[in-house]
Amino acid sequence: MKKILYIIFATLLAAYILAAAFFLTDRREDNRPCKSVEVVIADSLEKHFLKEKDVVAGLKRANLYPLNKNSREINTNAIENALLKNDIVEKAEVFRTVSGKIKIVISQKMPILRVFSAGGSYYIDKTGRTMSAVLGQAIYVPVASGNIEKSFATGDLYRFALFLQKDDFWDDQIEQIYIRSEQDIELVPRIGNHRIIVGSLDNYENKLKRLRLFYEQVIPKMGWEKYSVINLKYRNQIVCTKSKKTEL
């Protein structure tokens, strides 16, 4: 019986000592100031929209920059939420390292389309969300202008732009998208002086497939300057208008 009581007493004493040590260590951690902050912008070689100084300045304005603050004053969730309010930021992760440093890892959004409309100017990213037009650098993506509602820009137009971006040929070829209405859309290519009449975006994959065959089979024989308009609106047809230069 004495042996059992001794074991119970020893176990409780050991648990008390461990709890006290943990509590004291935790208090010391709470009182230890953050001496270093590391900001990592994960895709900075590919995209240069966001700079470390912008991140630091934004957190300072929000009184969330952790440098020299005690651990108990640093709210990593609040820092992450503040960073995600920037519509250039795709993902933000904030954590403490073993050495006590605060590390901030940020991923940026990838724009695939620039929109100019009566409702303003903005980018559409690869997930269909809008991005600020003020990115600090020129982004070479197709430009859409004209009568564009935001719901159309983030819906059908986004899906069309994503299709162009994923195809190397069309990504290189299509420079501008002009929208008179959702049923009357025109493309401006990088090569050639012609306009491409698409009509609506219904069945656009088939329309561009026909256009690509036209480029591969007809243009090499007739030349890029032969036509001023290539019309894809009509089912299973391509209707072309000759350039005035070639009619002379």
Side-chain angles (χ1 to χ4, degrees):
M1 187 66 181
K2 287 182 179 180
K3 187 175 180 180
I4 294 173
L5 291 173
Y6 175 79
I7 292 171
I8 294 172
F9 175 76
T11 302
L12 291 173
L13 181 61
Y16 171 78
I17 292 171
L18 287 172
F22 176 80
F23 176 76
L24 291 174
T25 301
D26 188 56
R27 289 295 297 273
R28 285 195 297 271
E29 289 291 330
D30 283 348
N31 290 323
R32 187 172 63 175
C34 170
K35 292 297 184 182
S36 177
V37 178
E38 181 183 4
V39 178
V40 178
I41 301 177
D43 40 15
S44 60
L45 293 177
E46 182 180 4
K47 293 167 279 185
H48 311 280
F49 317 141
L50 199 60
K51 296 179 174 61
E52 180 179 348
K53 65 179 183 179
D54 300 324
V55 175
V56 172
L59 292 177
K60 284 182 176 178
R61 285 195 298 272
N63 195 30
L64 289 171
Y65 191 58
L67 188 65
N68 296 325
K69 288 187 176 182
N70 291 335
S71 292
R72 65 175 178 272
E73 298 176 307
I74 300 170
N75 187 331
T76 56
N77 288 331
I79 295 172
E80 288 178 359
N81 291 333
L83 293 169
L84 289 170
K85 288 179 181 178
N86 186 330
D87 64 3
I88 297 172
V89 175
E90 171 81 23
K91 182 180 178 182
E93 186 179 6
V94 181
F95 55 92
R96 296 179 178 87
T97 66
V98 175
S99 63
K101 175 170 64 178
I102 294 295
K103 189 166 184 177
I104 301 171
V105 181
I106 295 172
S107 297
Q108 302 168 91
K109 294 179 182 178
M110 172 64 80
I112 61 170
L113 182 70
R114 177 75 181 268
V115 176
F116 291 94
S117 70
S121 172
Y122 50 89
Y123 286 95
I124 301 293
D125 79 351
K126 64 180 180 180
T127 64
R129 293 172 294 181
T130 60
M131 294 175 61
S132 169
V134 184
L135 298 180
Q137 70 170 109
I139 308 299
Y140 297 103
V141 294
V143 173
S145 59
N147 185 22
I148 307 174
E149 296 290 337
K150 186 163 285 190
S151 58
F152 179 67
T154 57
D156 289 346
L157 186 57
Y158 150 69
R159 285 184 282 274
F160 180 63
L162 189 63
F163 172 83
L164 298 179
Q165 188 259 340
K166 287 182 175 180
D167 187 294
D168 290 340
F169 179 82
W170 295 119
D171 189 40
D172 289 337
Q173 176 67 348
I174 302 303
E175 184 174 43
Q176 190 170 354
I177 305 168
Y178 184 71
I179 297 163
R180 293 184 176 85
S181 73
E182 293 179 18
Q183 303 302 315
D184 188 8
I185 296 169
E186 181 179 305
L187 308 179
V188 177
R190 286 192 172 93
I191 301 174
N193 295 321
H194 57 280
R195 296 177 294 119
I196 303 164
I197 307 300
V198 176
S200 74
L201 290 179
D202 294 340
N203 203 23
Y204 63 79
E205 291 187 33
N206 182 264
K207 291 176 180 179
L208 291 184
K209 183 178 179 181
R210 283 186 278 132
L211 178 58
R212 187 161 183 172
L213 286 172
F214 183 83
Y215 279 161
E216 292 172 351
Q217 297 176 9
V218 178
I219 291 297
K221 298 175 183 177
M222 308 302 295
W224 287 102
E225 306 302 321
K226 179 71 174 180
Y227 303 107
S228 61
V229 178
I230 299 175
N231 194 330
L232 308 174
K233 289 174 65 172
Y234 306 103
R235 185 177 178 85
N236 297 324
Q237 295 182 61
I238 294 180
V239 179
C240 299
T241 302
K242 289 184 178 180
S243 171
K244 289 183 179 180
K245 291 181 180 180
T246 61
E247 292 176 351
L248 297 176

